[in-house]
Amino acid sequence: MTGFLLRRLLGIAGTLLVICALTFAVFYLLPSDPAAQFCGKDCSADRIVMVRQQMGLDDPLIVQFGRYVLGIFAGQTLGSGQYAVHCGFPCFGYSFQSGQPVWDLMLDRLPASASLALGAAVLWLLLGLSAGLLSALRRNTWVDRTVMVATIGIAALPVYFTAMLLLYVVVTVLGLMPYPRYIAFGEDPVGWIRNLILPWITLALTFAAIYARMTRNSVIETMAEPYVRTARAKGLRERRVVGRHGLRPALTPVATMLGMDLGGLLAGALITESLFSLPGVGKLFADSLNKADQPVIMGITLLASFFIVTSNLVVDLVYAWIDPRARLT
Amino acid sequence: MSLLEVRGLAVEFDTAEGPVRAVRGIDFTVERGRTLGIVGESGSGKSVTSLAVMGLHRGAAVTGSVRFDGTELIGAPEESVRRLRGRRIAMVFQDALTALHPYFTIGDQIAEAYREHHGGSRKAARARAVEVLGDVGIPDPARRAREHPHQFSGGMRQRAMIALALSCEPDLIIADEPTTALDVTVQAQVLDLLAGQQQARGLGLVLITHDLGVIARIADEVLVMYGGSAAEQAPADRLFTAPRHPYTRGLLDSLPRLDAPEGEPLRAIPGSPPSPLAPPPGCAFHPRCAVYAEHGSPLCTADRPLLRLVAEGHRNACALDEVTTG
């Protein structure tokens, strides 16, 4: 178990390093000059040269990369003399746009993204699992067919269409609530829910449809397993046969998928956040892309990769905990 | 009153290719303390029969009569049949690795059945699980009860499956190919265990198998099935010494013999089992039947032959019975 964890953590570190290097290389190949970006519009040629020096952009790429990676763990001092700025652990550099530390920017935006992702996950699990289970247990009836047709339709809806439709109907036509704006949970929990409900629905619908179909297939498959027949032959009540013997194995692949999806969403749901102007990591990423704000893009890419590889590990651990046959090697 | 009395049992289910009559009206009786062997090839309807008796064949139309200890089970409310399952009629399935739940410990799975029918504390149910595991010869049962099925060897797993069946002190055990997934040496041990427990507890036992060796070892009565119908029914010793149906003879002839002359090839029944979707007209066996090939009679293709009494306790479903024995 310890060996397994060690190996996996090493693997994670390696993966992140490779992703970091690739992102770094991509920016080096881009035609835009970070120094000019950082310096601003009315910048003289002399000043650009100075900024280049300060930022260490004249050094070889490998040195810059080394400095970047080392900086994440040990912090780094940028510039020299009177211009020296120390950037403490974990240092992802400073935004070209705002001059703020990337880490602080991301930390600032994380609560909104986490709120969106976790709330939406609760919603899509409730919807997806119940629809999928209902469909599986009423297989080939009109209930099943209705659910399956509905899920195909919903899964095909683009997020921006759902968002616009919801906003138009709920806010403009029905006037049920003002245009949502993000309120932190700590400030006003009720306001947090009220303002996030439309983004949650928007994000959850597609997932709910996919989860419903997956749950249905998984439950149908599991209920045909010999061990479910054994449970019936033992004389157990159908409720127990389904709930204890059928559902647990059926939900294992769903749990795996949930881990991956959540991992991906924690670092921001780009489109949904942008559509609702939620101050999340995804929105920050979209804005930074528009402005070619390299340090922020790098930081968020790494953060997202970190969440994804970590959730992968968590999924494996949970899987081993659910299924005693799984060996951690 | 017999423990289990099955009359005219038929099972039909709908498939995408059309209705399949998997079992076409069979009769048998099981007495307490006796063993009925049901033998046949895959697709002969023997497993479907066992599931139909338990009311576990989902989505199939089951007709006829299944009387257990005087109570009719076909058409009975699901709840009353459920109370019998596991409690008075228990099943032993073929492959214990897939038939036992991979997520729960062996002890849990046995205790769960016991608590369902007897109530009582978790602790008492656990104790009962350990007790029956010991009964079926699992060493160190208290420790093994805490293990999962994948930690058991094949033979031990099948013993655990038998322990599960015995845990609620049933009156009847239906064992569907209980030894097919096992090594030959382990097969013998498991069969002896099953027969021993059956004797000790005075249980009725229905043993479903394609293996005549297994039948010879522990069955009192034998029902030979072919294409969803009964071909022949006889006391075990009679069936082996004086088989009447050409199919039964073919089965016995195809057993490998140690005393066969050197170089003699193994014999097999030519052809393959009938398609359940489009069974041949008349006797389902006639396309493969050696007697039909020689003495071909329109009787064989006209109607499905019915079982007729040919000797005491011995029934044969062959229109050419006189030819074969004459």
Side-chain angles (χ1 to χ4, degrees), chain B residues 17 24 32 42 60 70 88 96-97 161 168 175 183 186 191 203 207 227 248 270 273 295:
Chain B
E17 289 94 51
R24 326 170 130 239
R32 284 179 182 77
S42 353
R88 299 199 62 199
L97 183 60
M161 185 91 228
C168 294
D183 291 340
V186 182
L191 272 186
L203 309 174
L207 183 75
T248 315
H295 306 275

Side-chain angles (χ1 to χ4, degrees), chain B residues 132 134-137 162-163 166 173 190-203 205:
Chain B
V132 278
D135 286 351
V136 297
I162 293 170
L166 291 172
I173 287 187
V190 169
L191 272 186
D192 288 345
L193 167 71
L194 206 53
Q197 292 289 335
Q198 184 245 335
Q199 287 299 313
R201 296 169 196 249
L203 309 174
L205 176 63

Side-chain angles (χ1 to χ4, degrees), chain A residues 230 234-235 237 240 245 252, chain B residues 82 99 103 109 112 116-117:
Chain A
T230 307
K234 289 203 290 196
R237 290 174 171 80
R240 193 173 171 88
H245 292 256
T252 311
Chain B
R82 180 187 70 76
Y103 287 13
Q109 300 191 44
E112 185 186 26
E116 178 69 45
H117 297 293

Side-chain angles (χ1 to χ4, degrees), chain A residues 5-221:
Chain A
L5 269 182
L6 269 176
R7 265 196 307 278
R8 285 299 301 264
L9 289 174
L10 269 177
I12 286 179
T15 312
L16 290 178
L17 197 68
V18 169
I19 292 171
C20 193
L22 285 175
T23 329
F24 210 83
V26 165
F27 276 102
Y28 186 78
L29 295 174
L30 283 182
S32 80
D33 180 3
Q37 287 277 335
F38 188 73
C39 194
K41 269 183 188 163
D42 315 313
C43 207
S44 65
D46 292 355
R47 187 144 168 73
I48 289 187
V49 171
M50 206 174 80
V51 171
R52 287 188 73 81
Q53 246 169 15
Q54 245 181 28
M55 293 172 75
L57 292 173
D58 294 327
D59 295 332
L61 184 65
I62 187 79
V63 175
Q64 293 185 43
F65 179 63
R67 197 158 48 216
Y68 181 80
V69 174
L70 207 69
I72 295 176
F73 298 101
Q76 60 173 313
T77 304
L78 297 166
S80 57
Q82 61 178 117
Y83 297 109
V85 188
H86 183 73
C87 164
F89 164 84
C91 174
F92 289 90
Y94 293 86
S95 160
F96 291 163
Q97 284 299 314
S98 63
Q100 281 179 288
V102 172
W103 179 244
D104 291 354
L105 277 176
M106 293 194 300
L107 274 192
D108 232 36
R109 302 298 193 99
L110 211 47
S113 286
S115 298
L116 175 62
L118 294 176
V122 170
L123 198 60
W124 89 57
L125 280 180
L126 282 177
L127 285 172
L129 292 190
S130 44
L133 184 62
L134 187 73
S135 227
L137 296 181
R138 300 264 180 283
R139 191 182 177 183
N140 295 336
T141 63
W142 65 269
V143 179
D144 179 24
R145 286 190 197 106
T146 311
V147 171
M148 284 306 106
V149 169
T151 51
I152 287 193
I154 291 170
L157 285 180
V159 174
Y160 37 86
F161 178 75
T162 321
M164 291 307 159
L165 191 69
L166 278 174
L167 281 171
Y168 178 70
V169 173
V170 177
V171 177
T172 311
V173 177
L174 298 175
L176 290 177
M177 57 169 74
Y179 195 90
R181 64 191 177 86
Y182 179 70
I183 297 177
F185 180 78
E187 256 171 61
D188 172 10
V190 179
W192 177 76
I193 294 178
R194 271 183 61 89
N195 282 287
L196 275 170
I197 198 114
L198 293 185
W200 280 342
I201 295 174
T202 303
L203 187 58
L205 272 181
T206 319
F207 283 104
I210 297 167
Y211 276 59
R213 299 184 74 86
M214 184 172 172
T215 304
R216 172 183 183 269
N217 291 348
S218 188
V219 168
I220 286 175
E221 211 171 282

Side-chain angles (χ1 to χ4, degrees), chain B residues 123-174:
Chain B
K123 218 178 146 189
R126 293 286 304 192
R128 173 66 186 160
V130 173
E131 185 190 342
V132 278
L133 284 173
D135 286 351
V136 297
I138 288 180
D140 198 1
R143 183 176 65 78
R144 307 284 336 235
R146 291 192 298 271
E147 293 184 350
H148 290 91
H150 72 275
Q151 292 166 295
F152 276 53
S153 68
M156 283 298 154
R157 234 176 350 243
Q158 198 52 286
R159 282 173 193 265
M161 185 91 228
I162 293 170
L164 171 64
L166 291 172
S167 63
C168 294
E169 300 276 348
D171 303 295
L172 175 70
I173 287 187
I174 302 177

Side-chain angles (χ1 to χ4, degrees), chain A residues 239-253:
Chain A
R239 172 183 286 268
R240 193 173 171 88
V241 172
V242 175
R244 189 170 138 94
H245 292 256
L247 216 48
R248 280 178 66 156
L251 290 186
T252 311

Side-chain angles (χ1 to χ4, degrees), chain B residues 53 197 264 314 316:
Chain B
V53 169
Q197 292 289 335
E264 193 184 272
H314 192 165
N316 184 17

